Amino acid sequence: MARKGPLARLVVASLALAFSSSRLLCFHACRTPSTCSTELTGGHRAVEPIPKSPKAWRKALPHDAVPVRQFLHLHRYLQIWRVHWIGPENLDRAGLRVTGMDTYAIVASVLLQVITGFYGSVPEPDDTDERLKYPNLHRLMYEGQMIFASVSVVCSTYTMVMFLLCKIYSVMALGMYKDVSYDLFQAATGRFRLRAFWSLIIAMHSFLVSFAMNLFTRIKGNRGLCFFFVGMMGIIPVVYDWQIIYQIAEKYVYN
């Protein structure tokens, strides 16, 4: 039998790798190898529909495999130890952290611009206006809008400046090959970043309440009062969903 050359061996190995990769991808996509073989050979077979409800997706998630995956990822502690004590800093993961701080600063700056425009567009109620059915309530709503908008401006400004400063000095430390200084800076400013995060949450909540109160000042009378209560009721599920995201992050990300 003639001996195969290096080119022939390379072609055979490439074909075997491509065939095995397609089988593996089909196995993960179709869940069963028989379905994959049917699709690869051109046959027709009924495929299970994709679950659309969140409960179906949660049931399909392999929760039993979470401890196994965590055990298989134990080598990350060796990488963390090596980066912390030996170095150098993993610039890819450090870049992800800096990008996260940059995102917080951008969100706070956009919110600050919106609140500033909203703050200047709120009209002061005119007591001589005959359309005002509840003049005292209108005055109270106006003052409440100013208070909540002011709180939102201060909190969003604090968040924007704090995360911008943390990003600037983190990038500066990494750019000057001061990996130890970068690690120490991240550890020392952790509580300030946490305050800036909750400051952003307070700013968003204050803006939503101020916007709901603005509905009453724009639409006067009983309709405006109804729109105010509808707006406040609409804020409740939004804040509730945000709280769920916090809890999920506390359970899976920060735990």
Side-chain angles (χ1 to χ4, degrees), residues 89 91 93-102 163-179 181-183 185-186 189:
E89 187 71 31
L91 295 181
R93 294 191 177 275
L96 292 176
R97 299 188 66 177
V98 172
T99 303
M101 292 186 286
D102 192 17
F163 278 111
L164 278 178
L165 290 176
C166 292
K167 176 196 172 182
I168 291 171
Y169 295 127
S170 298
V171 173
M172 184 181 298
L174 292 174
M176 298 174 65
Y177 291 92
K178 296 182 178 181
D179 296 350
S181 300
Y182 164 79
D183 193 18
F185 180 78
Q186 292 293 321
T189 58

Side-chain angles (χ1 to χ4, degrees), residues 41-125:
T41 54
H44 299 280
R45 182 169 181 151
V47 181
E48 296 181 359
I50 299 175
K52 297 182 179 180
S53 62
K55 293 183 179 180
W57 278 111
R58 284 195 293 267
K59 291 180 180 179
L61 292 177
H63 291 288
D64 297 337
V66 172
V68 178
R69 294 175 62 188
Q70 290 178 350
F71 177 77
L72 294 177
H73 291 175
L74 287 178
H75 63 280
R76 73 182 187 274
Y77 294 107
L78 296 177
Q79 298 178 0
I80 295 174
W81 181 86
R82 184 187 63 80
V83 169
H84 183 75
W85 291 102
I86 302 177
E89 187 71 31
N90 189 341
L91 295 181
D92 293 334
R93 294 191 177 275
L96 292 176
R97 299 188 66 177
V98 172
T99 303
M101 292 186 286
D102 192 17
T103 303
Y104 282 121
I106 292 175
V107 172
S109 63
V110 172
L111 183 62
L112 179 61
Q113 293 178 0
V114 173
I115 297 169
T116 304
F118 174 80
Y119 186 84
S121 64
V122 177
E124 185 177 358

Side-chain angles (χ1 to χ4, degrees), residues 30 32 34-35 38-39 43-49:
C30 308
T32 55
S34 59
T35 307
T38 306
E39 293 181 356
H44 299 280
R45 182 169 181 151
V47 181
E48 296 181 359

